[in-house]
Amino acid sequence: MPAASLRALLAHAIDYAGLFPPADLALEPALQNQAAYVRSGDRWMLGAFILPVAKFGEARPQLEAFDAEHALEVSALGPKTTKAAEFRRALETAADAIKEFHNGHKGVVSIRQFEMPLPAGPVAKALGVARATLGDLALKVFWEAPAESAAKTIEALSGSNAGFKLRTGGVTADAFPSGEQIARALVTASRHRVPIKFTAGLHHPVLKFHESVGTKMHGFLNVLGAGVLAAEHRWSETQTQEMLAEEEASAFIFDDEMMRWRDW
């Protein structure tokens, strides 16, 4: 059994994004995988199934593998929009679809959260529209924005009960944010008590170069661990960045008492 500190760090921390690269599966096999995962001994790590709102209809006939004991827990993914009016319409469509999908499959489907990129423009205005549209849905909400505007967006989210979603990779080198950008997001989120989640690129425990993308891919132990220790010890961005740059797996120690990284 994994050490207690590792279980604490990774408990329900990994959402399954089988519809997206690198797996890039069709919906049916992705749902079959999720059904197997919720019955596995590693279920303790599993978060929600990332399901675009646009695929709710396609998913309905494929829910036989789930039941009350092994429910399909969903993170509903809204589309990327560019203009305020488009953003509002997409939110309205998503809110209606979430209610219908959840109410139509109670006991089998549980929609845990909603995530969506923010449009360009003032964050406060977009959040006001979102609150008015999603207000009666009891969901965790995470808003995505580019890494270069992460700190500003997180500051705007402070006190809103919403979280921030940071993209940590992709299929090309330019999709990966720098360690400095991730460190700034982690420290800012800790300072403002804004929940943060990550998407894409965190396929390895520790930072490593990967030929498929031609750059170093961030490690999930680096990122999640740095988030915890930065909050616990009030780290600076520089100190946080040092942990994000760690490439030695032996530097991460987990036991039943605590998680440690080098001398911390």
Side-chain angles (χ1 to χ4, degrees):
M1 179 178 292
S5 60
L6 181 61
R7 290 179 67 91
L9 181 69
L10 297 183
H12 304 296
I14 302 175
D15 290 343
Y16 179 49
L19 298 176
F20 304 91
D24 213 13
L25 298 174
L27 183 58
E28 184 176 2
L31 285 171
Q32 289 173 349
N33 284 347
Q34 180 75 3
Y37 298 155
V38 298
R39 292 168 169 82
S40 77
D42 295 325
R43 180 180 181 177
W44 62 273
M45 288 187 289
L46 187 64
F49 181 85
I50 306 296
L51 182 62
V53 171
K55 288 187 175 290
F56 281 7
E58 185 182 347
R60 285 192 182 92
Q62 303 181 44
L63 301 176
E64 300 88 352
F66 301 94
D67 54 41
E69 187 177 352
H70 307 96
L72 174 63
E73 296 188 347
V74 170
S75 181
L77 178 63
K80 185 175 182 178
T81 59
T82 57
K83 297 180 180 179
E86 185 184 4
F87 178 67
R88 182 189 295 273
R89 287 194 298 270
L91 283 175
E92 292 170 348
T93 298
D96 290 342
I98 288 169
K99 292 175 186 176
E100 181 181 355
F101 194 47
H102 176 76
N103 292 336
H105 303 282
K106 286 184 177 179
V108 176
V109 174
S110 173
I111 300 180
R112 293 176 47 184
Q113 62 192 33
F114 176 70
E115 50 190 277
M116 183 174 176
L118 288 168
V123 174
K125 183 176 181 180
L127 292 179
V129 171
R131 279 193 296 270
T133 308
L134 303 175
D136 62 340
L137 295 177
L139 294 173
K140 296 178 182 177
V141 180
F142 289 87
W143 299 112
E144 181 181 346
E148 55 268 23
S149 60
K152 182 179 179 180
T153 305
I154 291 168
E155 289 170 359
L157 290 171
S158 180
S160 71
N161 293 322
F164 179 72
K165 176 181 173 181
L166 178 65
R167 189 163 294 274
T168 46
V171 296
T172 57
D174 60 358
F176 289 78
S178 67
E180 180 181 2
Q181 289 174 318
I182 297 177
R184 183 171 298 117
L186 289 173
V187 170
T188 306
S190 173
R191 184 182 304 127
H192 291 278
R193 297 183 177 274
V194 172
I196 186 169
K197 70 170 296 189
F198 309 93
T199 184
L202 299 181
H203 306 144
H204 306 283
V206 178
L207 180 75
K208 66 177 293 185
F209 180 85
H210 206 286
E211 291 184 359
S212 65
V213 290
T215 191
K216 290 182 179 180
M217 300 180 73
H218 299 289
F220 60 80
L221 292 183
N222 299 75
V223 174
L224 299 181
V228 170
L229 293 182
E232 176 70 18
H233 300 292
R234 299 181 182 274
W235 276 357
S236 66
E237 291 178 19
T238 300
Q239 177 63 70
T240 305
Q241 191 175 344
E242 288 181 14
M243 186 171 179
L244 292 170
E246 180 63 71
E247 297 186 54
E248 294 294 331
S250 60
F252 298 85
I253 300 172
F254 296 91
D255 58 33
D256 287 339
E257 296 296 325
M258 66 180 69
M259 172 193 78
R260 299 192 299 277
W261 170 68
R262 295 199 178 272
D263 295 330
W264 291 90

